[in-house]
Amino acid sequence: MPDDTITIADGRARCLWAAREPETTYHDTEWGFPIAGDTALFERVCLEGFQSGLSWRTILTKRENFRAAFAGFDIEQVARFADTDVTRLLADAGIVRHRGKIEASINNARRAVELIDEHGSLESYFWGYAPAGEHVPGSMTTSPESVALSKDLKKRGWRFVGPTTMFALMQATGMVNDHAYGCVIRADVDAALRAAYPQRL
């Protein structure tokens, strides 16, 4: 199986999509590493939803604007957003001005409050769908687990949480280590995952 890596100026091999900034830094420091806290996880859910149909570069370059516009992705605050906030966000050129995605993020914050009340945290709920064992990198864009997660979230009223989007969330947050076998960061991600979730590996 060919190794999907590229060697850039620093002489280190990385996943093909991480050949330039801001993707390189995101790839090296965030993508695939486990994250802590419901705010960080909620942010990733929102950003993956906004990314649907767009390039990840678009989202990365607007990320700080998203954080400012969505109250740092504080779940309780976003859950209280009203129609005036939707109007404000639609006028904000610093983010992706898509009414459906904006309204979905607000709706999902409200659903997240309910889910936290039931499960104690978003982390415990989402990681309950993380597959055990090693995943062959680059081999799929959905998985049985992402399909099941998407189905359950939709039953709970979440939006923009399709199976592909949820698999991208799993890749981004370490539920799946999708770094190429020859990628210099893969071993770092494995070590971080073993430390945080030894039962998953």
Side-chain angles (χ1 to χ4, degrees):
M1 182 176 182
D3 193 34
D4 294 329
T5 61
I6 188 169
T7 301
I8 61 175
D10 66 1
R12 303 202 301 166
R14 292 175 173 82
C15 299
L16 284 174
W17 60 268
R20 59 177 181 156
E21 295 292 357
E23 289 92 338
T24 302
T25 296
Y26 173 69
H27 168 273
D28 288 3
T29 63
E30 291 190 65
W31 194 68
F33 288 93
I35 58 174
D38 287 348
T39 299
L41 186 53
F42 178 66
E43 175 184 341
R44 296 296 184 87
V45 173
C46 291
L47 294 182
E48 293 293 347
F50 272 104
Q51 188 272 334
S52 180
L54 302 172
S55 72
W56 186 241
R57 166 173 283 265
T58 298
I59 302 304
L60 282 180
T61 57
K62 294 177 179 287
R63 191 174 186 182
E64 291 306 318
N65 296 330
F66 273 112
R67 286 172 170 167
F70 281 90
F73 290 100
D74 181 276
I75 296 169
E76 296 280 355
Q77 290 191 57
V78 177
R80 293 194 294 269
F81 278 13
D83 289 344
T84 53
D85 292 291
V86 174
T87 301
R88 169 181 62 83
L89 292 165
L90 285 170
D92 188 342
I95 67 169
V96 175
R97 293 180 289 182
H98 184 291
R99 179 181 290 273
K101 294 176 181 180
I102 289 169
E103 291 179 344
S105 295
I106 298 169
N107 168 77
N108 291 350
R110 295 167 183 164
R111 304 292 77 79
V113 171
E114 298 167 354
L115 196 150
I116 291 168
D117 285 343
E118 179 180 347
H119 287 269
S121 70
L122 292 186
E123 181 181 6
S124 62
Y125 169 80
F126 277 91
W127 274 86
Y129 286 90
E134 185 174 308
H135 162 79
V136 178
S139 63
M140 59 184 71
T141 57
T142 65
S143 69
E145 293 83 4
S146 76
V147 171
L149 173 59
S150 172
K151 182 177 180 179
D152 191 65
L153 286 172
K154 288 178 180 179
K155 281 176 55 179
R156 294 171 181 273
W158 291 60
R159 303 176 196 163
F160 280 90
V161 289
T164 301
T165 300
M166 289 301 94
F167 189 73
L169 177 75
M170 289 178 168
Q171 293 170 303
T173 59
M175 297 179 206
V176 171
N177 185 355
D178 221 24
H179 284 273
Y181 286 127
C183 174
V184 69
I185 304 299
R186 182 175 178 85
D188 295 338
V189 168
D190 272 341
L193 290 171
R194 289 182 189 282
Y197 299 101
Q199 71 278 16
R200 295 292 178 188
L201 298 167

